[in-house]
Amino acid sequence: MDRLFDYITREVMVLLIAAMPLMELRGAIPIGVSLGLHPLHATVLGILGSLAPVPFLLIFIKPIVIRIKNLPWINKLVNRMIQRTRRKGDKIRKYSVIGLVLFVAVPLPSTGVWSGCLAAVLFNIPFKHALPSIALGTSIAGTIMFILSYVAVHL
């Protein structure tokens, strides 16, 4: 029974790490592999965990940003985040949905699901287009991380 609890705990940990901003699946998959999960298992959990907050972010990110921008101690941080996303969002501005897929698919810091949701809202990409674009981009990023993790484990 303890072994089952450890296994479930590792899975939940990977899901939660993948749902966190900054870490997302880029951190969750290698951590899952280091905890003893098979790279494919860690990848599936990483993708699912990373996608879990997307519908909520797409719906609520704009009202939340509007509210917290009025708080003086967080205003600079929010403005910096928005400016950075706009700068990195040239592909999104130019290619819309395809650009959003590419933006989220690149497994580098600040180009994941959370930034992709912010970019979708900033560039007025409708929910019905943003959600599948972000899901596809996350799947591509997950596949890249799977390949890297699989190769690292089997060297």
Side-chain angles (χ1 to χ4, degrees):
M1 188 67 164
D2 288 337
R3 190 135 167 85
L4 177 65
F5 184 71
D6 288 342
Y7 190 72
I8 291 170
T9 303
R10 290 183 290 167
E11 288 182 326
V12 170
M13 188 181 305
V14 172
L15 286 166
L16 292 175
I17 291 169
M20 290 173 30
L22 301 176
M23 291 292 284
E24 297 183 16
L25 61 77
R26 292 149 186 81
I29 294 171
I31 289 172
V33 171
S34 73
L35 291 172
L37 296 177
H38 186 277
L40 183 58
H41 193 169
T43 300
V44 170
L45 291 171
I47 291 171
L48 292 175
S50 191
L51 290 175
V54 171
F56 304 103
L57 289 170
L58 289 172
I59 292 168
F60 296 116
I61 201 165
K62 190 173 190 172
I64 289 171
V65 167
I66 289 169
R67 281 189 187 235
I68 64 174
K69 276 186 78 165
N70 296 329
L71 302 172
W73 55 275
I74 200 163
N75 190 10
K76 283 184 182 179
L77 177 66
V78 172
N79 283 333
R80 201 172 336 140
M81 213 170 53
I82 290 170
Q83 293 307 319
R84 186 183 70 221
T85 303
R86 280 196 173 129
R87 267 194 318 272
K88 288 188 169 206
D90 288 337
K91 289 179 190 166
I92 299 168
R93 187 178 297 113
K94 188 173 181 179
Y95 301 110
S96 185
V97 174
I98 303 292
L100 184 58
V101 170
L102 295 173
F103 181 80
V104 175
V106 176
L108 294 173
S110 76
T111 61
V113 165
W114 287 72
S115 297
C117 289
L118 178 59
V121 170
L122 289 174
F123 296 114
N124 297 315
I125 297 174
F127 181 92
K128 67 181 181 179
H129 298 298
L131 182 64
S133 299
I134 291 169
L136 179 58
T138 301
S139 298
I140 293 168
T143 302
I144 293 168
M145 292 306 299
F146 164 73
I147 292 167
L148 294 172
S149 297
Y150 189 83
V151 168
V153 167
H154 290 88
L155 280 180

